[in-house]
Amino acid sequence: MIQKRILSGMQPTNALHLGNYLGALKNWVDLQNQGDYECFYCVVDLHAITMPYDRDNLKKATREVAAAYIAAGVDPQKSVLFPQSAVPAHSQLMWLLATMAQVGKLNRMTQFKDKAGKNAENAGLGLYAYPVLMAADILIYNATHVPVGEDQKQHLELARDLAATFNTRYDVEHFIQPEPYIMGDTTRVMSLRDGTSKMSKSAESDMTRINLTDDADLIAKKIKKAKTDPQPVPTCTEQFEGRPEAKNLMTIYAALADETMDDVFNKFGGQSFADFKKSMIDVSVAHLEPITTRMNDLMNDVTEIDKILAEGGEKCNAITEPFIDQTMDIMGFWKS
Ligand code: AMP
Ligand code: TRP
């Protein structure tokens, strides 16, 4: 039987927010605790340099994302937590796969088109090859399952494709084709100011999102100012119709309080949003404060986080070095 393996990662760009937590991190922790999978959680710092970035902040951002993983419940005793740049085999495999990745397919990648914008001629090769590096991240561990959001499915498809191309070209069963892991009750978190757009790190106003680094006062302020409508709190799903902000706040409440939406309807349906928001603030602070505190502790003395990252990197190197050797051997490279 093949060992089931999870590999996922996030970029150390800006501070993580509630969408990253409810939409991804919380599920990673569930997968880890479920015990069926070996879990590898990566901070994809090599991907972070495909867009303009701040060299002086990269190290801190990498530690901060790792701290968020741990504070959310990723346990370095159970999962392997590591920075992508600490494992050279990711970049090595990327080159090998790049020789098999078709330009036609890369041209169709919607994320590249979005990120390159109008000026695609000036985009870096790294941004263009981003999906190939992501494929290498996954295939180098022979991960069987990759928890990703909708926006990453196209990239995962390329990883599957490259695994199959390699196996066919060299007539081997070397790479496993990874499956997307569709996270059961993943919560899609929307902006606090516009219930029709996703909560995002790139939104200009910080008031649109709750960051995992926000303190209790700031969380309270953002929830108080969150957009609602003049009607009372909905009593059933049908009343969400045309009210995306109401739906979003109640969805966040249910996820953070670990209650069903029916519980939330029963508790708050028909009340004013002002009252609902008071409870929402309490629940949000109660759930997020321990996470923020743990993150701050880890960031105030980076010895522990650095040790965890270094150990994670070593574990990965022990797995990936022989695997890259095998891969190159299959491809016919010289080796003494
Ligand atoms: P990103 O912040 O776009 O790099 O995404 C990192 C991870 O968080 C991915 O798995 C996304 O699917 C997830 N994610 C980002 N924003 C949200 C959101 N607003 N709601 C739910 N999941 C999200
Ligand atoms: N591209 C992913 C994102 O933006 C991040 C990522 C890089 C990733 N390598 C990965 C996700 C490997 C899953 C598996 O969210």
Side-chain angles (χ1 to χ4, degrees):
M1 205 192 76
I2 299 168
Q3 167 66 46
K4 291 203 276 182
R5 242 183 213 181
I6 293 275
L7 179 293
S8 203
M10 288 191 211
Q11 295 192 55
T13 31
N14 291 314
L16 299 188
H17 53 72
L18 190 61
N20 299 127
Y21 174 64
L22 293 177
L25 270 181
K26 209 159 161 280
N27 294 281
W28 293 7
V29 174
D30 290 344
L31 285 165
Q32 160 196 279
N33 294 337
Q34 206 173 303
D36 291 344
Y37 300 91
E38 252 185 307
C39 298
F40 290 78
Y41 297 127
C42 181
V43 183
V44 290
D45 49 359
L46 295 171
H47 277 115
I49 65 164
T50 56
M51 292 292 276
Y53 77 103
D54 176 6
R55 170 177 83 164
D56 297 330
N57 195 46
L58 182 62
K59 210 176 287 171
K60 175 165 178 262
T62 300
R63 288 178 176 135
E64 200 163 89
V65 169
Y69 290 2
I70 294 168
V74 171
D75 176 353
Q77 302 296 328
K78 296 187 187 159
S79 301
V80 186
L81 197 170
F82 66 103
Q84 187 186 28
S85 60
V87 187
H90 289 236
S91 312
Q92 289 171 288
L93 182 60
M94 183 216 150
W95 175 252
L96 304 177
L97 296 176
T99 62
M100 294 166 217
Q102 293 171 336
V103 168
K105 287 204 175 119
L106 294 177
N107 283 339
R108 286 196 286 277
M109 293 292 159
T110 54
Q111 187 174 287
F112 173 75
K113 288 189 216 168
D114 290 346
K115 286 192 176 173
K118 287 192 202 91
N119 222 348
E121 286 292 309
N122 291 344
L125 179 59
L127 187 65
Y128 188 61
Y130 179 116
V132 186
L133 179 59
M134 179 163 161
D137 296 339
I138 298 165
L139 301 185
I140 194 75
Y141 299 96
N142 260 335
T144 54
H145 295 85
V146 183
V148 281
E150 205 52 46
D151 59 326
Q152 295 297 315
K153 285 234 183 92
Q154 199 185 21
H155 290 165
L156 192 60
E157 203 42 56
L158 183 81
R160 290 172 55 77
D161 219 76
L162 287 170
T165 303
F166 184 99
N167 290 348
T168 308
R169 183 172 297 179
Y170 296 100
D171 195 19
V172 284
E173 283 298 319
H174 185 58
F175 290 119
I176 290 176
Q177 274 190 294
E179 303 280 343
Y181 185 92
I182 310 300
M183 295 181 274
D185 58 348
T186 300
T187 307
R188 201 157 175 253
V189 183
M190 311 309 282
S191 155
L192 297 178
R193 289 305 178 89
D194 169 9
T196 61
S197 70
K198 252 177 73 167
M199 183 176 285
S200 143
K201 54 186 163 197
S202 51
E204 221 166 279
S205 163
D206 195 54
M207 294 300 284
T208 60
R209 63 186 160 250
I210 294 175
N211 303 302
L212 294 183
T213 44
D214 290 349
D215 63 18
D217 288 346
L218 193 50
I219 293 175
K221 184 175 164 202
K222 287 177 176 177
I223 294 175
K224 270 190 208 139
K225 298 219 160 163
K227 187 176 168 198
T228 47
D229 55 48
Q231 297 174 63
V233 174
T235 54
C236 57
T237 316
E238 290 71 47
Q239 292 186 4
F240 281 151
E241 189 58 38
R243 302 176 67 189
E245 285 81 16
K247 182 177 176 193
N248 185 38
L249 295 187
M250 292 175 79
T251 305
I252 294 174
Y253 181 98
L256 291 177
D258 207 11
E259 289 177 12
T260 65
M261 195 52 95
D262 278 337
D263 294 336
V264 186
F265 288 137
N266 289 336
K267 247 194 218 167
F268 300 102
Q271 294 184 18
S272 75
F273 265 103
D275 288 337
F276 169 76
K277 281 183 170 181
K278 281 188 199 133
S279 299
M280 181 169 173
I281 291 169
D282 291 343
V283 160
S284 306
V285 170
H287 194 110
L288 298 175
E289 206 167 38
I291 297 179
T292 312
T293 306
R294 180 84 173 108
M295 274 181 76
N296 286 339
D297 288 347
L298 287 162
M299 290 305 288
N300 283 337
D301 173 7
V302 297
T303 331
E304 186 183 348
I305 198 100
D306 282 357
K307 185 162 173 275
I308 292 169
L309 290 174
E311 284 173 0
E314 277 169 30
K315 281 187 205 157
C316 292
N317 283 323
I319 296 171
T320 58
E321 280 168 12
F323 192 74
I324 203 82
D325 278 355
Q326 264 176 33
T327 309
M328 293 181 74
D329 186 52
I330 291 169
M331 294 177 76
F333 282 97
W334 172 88
K335 178 126 173 95
S336 67

